[in-house]
Amino acid sequence: MLRLDQGEEWAFEELVRRTYGDLYGLAFRMTGNADDACDVVQDAYLRAYKSRDTFRGEATVTTWLYRIVANCASSHVSRRSRNRHQRLEDSTPVVDDRPSSDPETMADVALERRRLGAAMASLPPRLRMVVVLKDVYDLPHEAIAAELGITEAAAKVRLHRGRRKLRERLYGQRRQ
Amino acid sequence: MNRRCQATITALAELASEAAEVPNGVSAHVEECFRCRGELARHRKLLRRLRQLRECGLEPPPRLLDQLLENLSESPETASAVSGWWRRRVNYLLVAVAATGAAGTGAVLLVLRGRAGTRLAG
Ligand SMILES: [Zn+2]
């Protein structure tokens, strides 16, 4: 894991080279498209450089950068939504015409990943961002809440709702 | 679905991770309920798949790194931190131009010098 110890020379360019692919993955999963992800990564590095003094040795650089990307992506998605006069909940769901099929039985792992990717993309951004940060990137609730500007309780509620929607879309609607 | 199953499914959605223990309050019901055992299995599978997503990297656009470094080199705040990148890139292009022969070299050099000059001066 990449670490920058305090007192070590700030090798910013090297940091960009070593982390941009990973940060792009996070930004893409949070924003749902490549153009926005590139903008978010760009913003994140600028912000990281400006606030490099806030990096504390106890966290890994990667975790520190994830938090900055989370914050930039959240602002980006909110701004985009406002610009389009669109509510965050209004994202168009990706239709899965095989709601009851069980991915475990599919031989094609790539197809299963695509289905999960499509299900993730179909989540409203405010739910998707929390699921990505917690269940994919393993950020603590406290960090997620801080970077998204919500309470920890709200982060947990969004996580559970996001997980439930994903389960319904991937494994079929349970009869209530 | 009865109320017990509904409460159980809500509790399962709050499992912290794939490996997390089923909460005490609902474990007995999960043991005896076929439907809730299925829910637990599906929930754990979902969490496992989500965690695996991080390992299967998304391919960034091929020009992203160059664009990032170029834009950072243009920003007054970060220019000094990535100026080495631009110098190396100019040197690389100059070598490449030299290797392609004399034809057109003068014109390309002029363009490169002009560009490097504006950036390095900033
Ligand atoms: Zn049950």
Side-chain angles (χ1 to χ4, degrees):
Chain A
M1 191 72 78
L2 182 62
R3 289 189 75 96
L4 279 184
D5 295 315
Q6 285 184 309
E8 188 182 322
E9 187 185 314
W10 180 263
F12 187 61
E13 183 186 328
E14 187 58 24
L15 182 73
V16 175
R17 288 180 185 282
R18 287 173 68 169
T19 56
Y20 83 98
D22 196 21
L23 297 197
Y24 172 81
L26 171 58
F28 184 92
R29 290 185 172 111
M30 286 187 73
T31 61
N33 79 78
D35 287 344
D36 287 345
C38 291
D39 290 346
V40 164
V41 173
Q42 179 78 53
D43 287 352
Y45 281 123
L46 271 175
R47 206 180 291 182
Y49 190 76
K50 278 191 250 178
S51 61
R52 60 194 183 280
D53 293 339
T54 66
F55 173 70
R56 297 282 172 264
E58 64 266 22
T60 64
V61 174
T62 314
T63 304
W64 179 64
L65 288 172
Y66 282 167
R67 290 187 63 156
I68 296 173
V69 169
N71 189 280
C72 289
S74 173
S75 309
H76 197 88
V77 168
S78 304
R79 216 165 34 238
R80 191 184 58 193
S81 278
R82 272 199 306 276
N83 289 345
R84 290 182 187 170
H85 304 288
Q86 212 180 33
R87 284 166 55 80
L88 286 177
E89 292 83 351
D90 285 348
S91 69
T92 312
V94 174
V95 177
D96 182 359
D97 55 0
R98 290 163 303 174
S100 61
S101 59
D102 181 351
E104 197 71 273
T105 63
M106 293 179 190
D108 191 346
V109 176
L111 176 63
E112 188 185 332
R113 284 213 182 112
R114 274 205 302 279
R115 289 194 64 210
L116 179 54
M120 294 281 280
S122 76
L123 287 180
R126 64 203 189 93
L127 303 187
R128 182 178 63 232
M129 289 195 287
V130 177
V131 172
V132 166
L133 292 171
K134 182 73 187 80
D135 286 341
V136 184
Y137 289 86
D138 201 24
L139 257 59
H141 283 297
E142 164 271 324
I144 295 169
E147 302 312 333
L148 301 190
I150 56 178
T151 63
E152 277 190 54
K156 285 179 187 171
V157 169
R158 289 186 190 187
L159 177 71
H160 302 153
R161 288 184 58 198
R163 285 171 168 181
R164 198 182 65 225
K165 280 178 184 285
L166 277 181
R167 249 191 13 239
E168 288 168 2
R169 282 166 197 182
L170 286 167
Y171 309 123
Q173 179 77 52
R174 302 290 105 195
R175 293 276 165 260
Q176 301 285 319
Chain B
M1 185 183 297
N2 66 38
R3 202 173 293 168
R4 191 103 178 89
C5 290
Q6 239 161 13
T8 302
I9 287 165
T10 303
L12 293 180
E14 295 171 13
L15 277 189
S17 68
E18 187 206 341
E21 296 277 324
V22 176
N24 271 338
V26 296
S27 59
H29 174 74
V30 172
E31 283 292 310
E32 68 193 22
C33 176
F34 179 75
R35 185 201 299 262
C36 287
R37 274 209 308 280
E39 283 294 329
L40 175 62
R42 277 185 288 276
H43 187 68
R44 286 194 158 138
K45 187 163 68 179
L46 172 64
L47 294 183
R48 189 165 63 245
R49 295 284 181 265
L50 285 168
R51 189 51 48 88
Q52 287 167 347
L53 275 185
R54 187 170 166 181
E55 269 75 57
C56 70
L58 285 169
E59 198 61 43
R63 289 252 316 122
L64 179 60
L65 179 61
D66 274 353
Q67 278 167 359
L68 284 172
L69 292 173
E70 188 171 343
N71 291 342
L72 291 168
S73 77
E74 284 172 350
S75 164
E77 284 135 333
T78 49
S80 61
V82 292
S83 60
W85 166 80
W86 182 248
R87 270 200 305 278
R88 277 196 302 283
R89 189 165 170 79
V90 170
N91 288 341
Y92 169 81
L93 289 172
L94 287 173
V95 168
V97 165
T100 59
T105 303
V108 178
L109 273 174
L110 278 176
V111 170
L112 278 172
R113 275 194 192 135
R115 185 145 191 202
T118 44
R119 280 175 216 268
L120 295 175

